[in-house]
Amino acid sequence: MWKVILRRILVMIPQILILSLLIFILAKMMPGDALSGKASASLTIKDIEAIRQANGWNDPWYVQYGRWISKAFHGDLGNSYQNQRPVVDIIGERLSNTVWLSILTVVIMYLVAIPLGMIAGRYQNSWADKIIVFLNFLNFSIPGFVAGLLAIWLFGYSLGWFPTRGTETSGVVLTGLAYFWDRFHHILLPSLIMGILSTVGTIQYLRSGIIDAKSLDYVRTARAKGVPLNKVYSRHIFRNSILPIVTFIGYDITGILSGSIFIENIFSFPGMGKLFIDSINGRDYSLMTALILMYGLAGLFGSLLSDVALALVDPRIRIQ
């Protein structure tokens, strides 16, 4: 197992270098920079050109990339041009919000998807199966931003069940359990929306896996031996049908991190996704390249996690 993990980590090193190079080149190809359009009476064009020269923005791209990547390996991702603060500090303030949003989303996704997939697969062609399949296709067809806006209108403004923005109630000082409940209350609605939208693939995979497994020999053997039907589903069919879903867990987490970009902006949630859009709008290259690099690294580690999970559940992978 350790050889599999070590081999995958070694393969990731050139992938990270190529990813960082592509990110830097694409960022430099964007028109303008953080100082474009900022000329005023107190900041002349000559002053702006002097700042560009002092920061090395007029150097060739490969010189700038070498300087950036060498600092990145030492944990220095530069300063944000808009916020005038280290990029690492700004990302650190937002990172925990996105991580908690993603964790709650993953929990909700599996809590909803696994029971529905099991019911649809076990009671194939029943009314329950048809309703679940119809809702699954309906869920697949709804764009994330539409679902977010509808949720804000219905549960936020019409029913008043959830707050519609931020991570905590502004203007109120809370401590202890009241503080944690307030933060949980703010994060619950965007997590519910992301979690429910992410259930499509898991429900479909689990339903198909259970339908296929019902006709296999080991299931018929267990039924012939008189094993109770509920035990056949819980101990034989479910365990084998859940394997493909386990191997996708890394990709699911990465997809949820990427999807948080839209949900965080719709809910004005101060996480990394909203920070990413703000950095693009402000041409804040140092912050933008650092965030894209982090999303790329999250994708690579998600792939690693899926491969490790696949090796754990399938011994043939470890042997190969």
Side-chain angles (χ1 to χ4, degrees), residues 37-84:
K38 297 294 174 78
S40 62
S42 58
L43 190 65
T44 63
I45 295 178
K46 190 175 181 180
D47 295 333
I48 290 176
E49 191 58 34
I51 294 173
R52 287 189 176 124
Q53 188 66 31
N55 285 287
W57 296 355
N58 292 329
D59 295 339
W61 68 267
Y62 50 87
V63 175
Q64 296 184 51
Y65 172 75
R67 191 163 51 230
W68 175 70
I69 197 66
S70 62
K71 288 183 178 178
F73 275 117
H74 292 86
D76 181 8
L77 295 173
N79 286 329
S80 165
Y81 303 126
Q82 279 192 319
N83 301 284
Q84 296 299 316

Side-chain angles (χ1 to χ4, degrees), residues 3 5 7 101 186 204 220:
K3 289 182 180 177
I5 297 174
R7 189 163 58 238
L101 178 67
H186 278 77
Q204 194 61 37
R220 288 203 296 266

Side-chain angles (χ1 to χ4, degrees), residues 184-224:
F184 178 75
H185 196 203
H186 278 77
I187 204 174
L188 187 56
L189 185 57
S191 301
L192 279 170
I193 298 302
M194 280 185 63
I196 291 172
L197 290 176
S198 306
T199 58
V200 176
T202 304
I203 291 176
Q204 194 61 37
Y205 271 112
L206 190 55
R207 177 182 180 274
S208 302
I210 289 176
I211 291 172
D212 291 341
K214 283 194 296 187
S215 60
L216 296 181
D217 291 340
Y218 71 92
V219 176
R220 288 203 296 266
T221 302
R223 296 285 304 275

Side-chain angles (χ1 to χ4, degrees), residues 2 30 38 48 61 63 122 166 239 243 245 251 295 299:
W2 288 109
M30 289 181 65
K38 297 294 174 78
I48 290 176
W61 68 267
V63 175
R122 179 170 176 173
R239 284 185 179 180
L243 295 183
I245 296 171
Y251 297 111
Y295 279 116

